[in-house]
Amino acid sequence: MRNMIISMLLFCVGCTQIPDKVKPVNNFELDRYLGKWYEIARLDHSFERGLSKVTAEYSLNDNGSVRVLNQGYSAQDKQWKTATGIAYFIDSPTDGLLKVSFFRPFYGTYAIFELDHANYQYAVISGPNHSYLWILSRTPSLSEAIKKQLIQKASDAGFNTQELIFVDQ
C-alpha cells in the first residue's frame, strides 16, 4: 500500500512539470482570462481526436479554483462531447501556471507561455511535455500574421508545429 501511495504521488508531481524552453507568462490576470476561448490549433491526443468546434470556457468557483468546461463536436458520433475539470494555480496567481484535472486526483500542467497581455485575445498553452499544445483565441479565427507568430513561438519552445491540427470552427 505504501508503495502505491508513493507511486501515485510521484505520478501527480510528474504531471505538473513544464517542458524545456517553456516559461509561463508573468503578470497574469485571471479575471481577464475567464470566459470562452476557441481552439485554433492543437497537437493530436486521444481525448480530442476528431472533434471540431472546440471551445474552452473558464469560470471562477466559490473556493477560488477555476472551473474548466471543454466542448467539441464529433461529426462521427453526431454529438457534442464535454469534459468538466478544475484548475488551481501551482505557484502565484500572477503566473500563468496551473494544474488542471478532469480525473481527480490526477492533475496535468496548464502552462500559458504566450498571451496577448494587452487585450487577452489569444494564448498558447502547454501541457507537461512537448506532446501537448493548444493555440486559443477569443474568436473562432486568428489573422494569419498572429497565427504565424504563435506557431513560431511554439516552435521556438520545442514543439513539433508541423503536426498541428487546425480546428474547424
Side-chain angles (χ1 to χ4, degrees):
M1 178 71 149
R2 181 172 172 244
N3 287 342
M4 186 172 88
I5 291 171
I6 290 170
S7 295
M8 286 182 69
L9 288 173
L10 289 174
F11 176 78
C12 290
V13 169
C15 291
T16 56
Q17 294 178 344
I18 304 170
D20 292 338
K21 299 183 184 178
V22 169
K23 183 180 181 329
V25 298
N26 295 12
N27 302 314
F28 179 74
E29 297 176 46
L30 178 60
D31 288 344
R32 295 180 69 196
Y33 195 80
L34 297 176
K36 187 173 191 172
W37 291 83
Y38 294 86
E39 189 176 271
I40 302 301
R42 68 172 177 263
L43 290 177
D44 188 33
H45 45 80
S46 61
F47 50 92
E48 279 189 274
R49 191 162 291 139
L51 297 182
S52 61
K53 301 181 186 319
V54 179
T55 60
E57 192 156 349
Y58 306 98
S59 58
L60 195 58
N61 289 318
D62 290 339
N63 67 359
S65 64
V66 177
R67 179 178 184 263
V68 182
L69 175 63
N70 290 344
Q71 180 173 277
Y73 185 73
S74 170
Q76 179 179 345
D77 298 336
K78 296 184 181 4
Q79 68 178 1
W80 289 92
K81 298 196 174 196
T82 62
T84 304
I86 191 165
Y88 298 93
F89 285 97
I90 292 176
D91 294 316
S92 166
T94 61
D95 293 336
L97 181 59
L98 297 96
K99 60 181 183 176
V100 65
S101 177
F102 293 93
F103 309 101
R104 285 178 283 286
F106 304 106
Y107 286 85
T109 301
Y110 185 97
I112 305 161
F113 69 98
E114 181 68 13
L115 177 66
D116 170 23
H117 272 99
N119 300 304
Y120 279 62
Q121 292 300 300
Y122 56 80
V124 181
I125 316 303
S126 168
N129 59 49
H130 285 105
S131 297
Y132 297 94
L133 177 74
W134 296 269
I135 296 176
L136 305 179
S137 172
R138 291 292 190 175
T139 58
S141 63
L142 281 172
S143 74
E144 286 303 314
I146 292 175
K147 196 183 318 180
K148 185 176 179 181
Q149 170 191 335
L150 300 179
I151 292 169
Q152 186 61 55
K153 176 76 175 185
S155 180
D156 292 347
F159 292 90
N160 182 356
T161 56
Q162 299 299 313
E163 298 293 322
L164 280 173
I165 295 169
F166 292 90
V167 180
D168 291 332
Q169 287 291 347

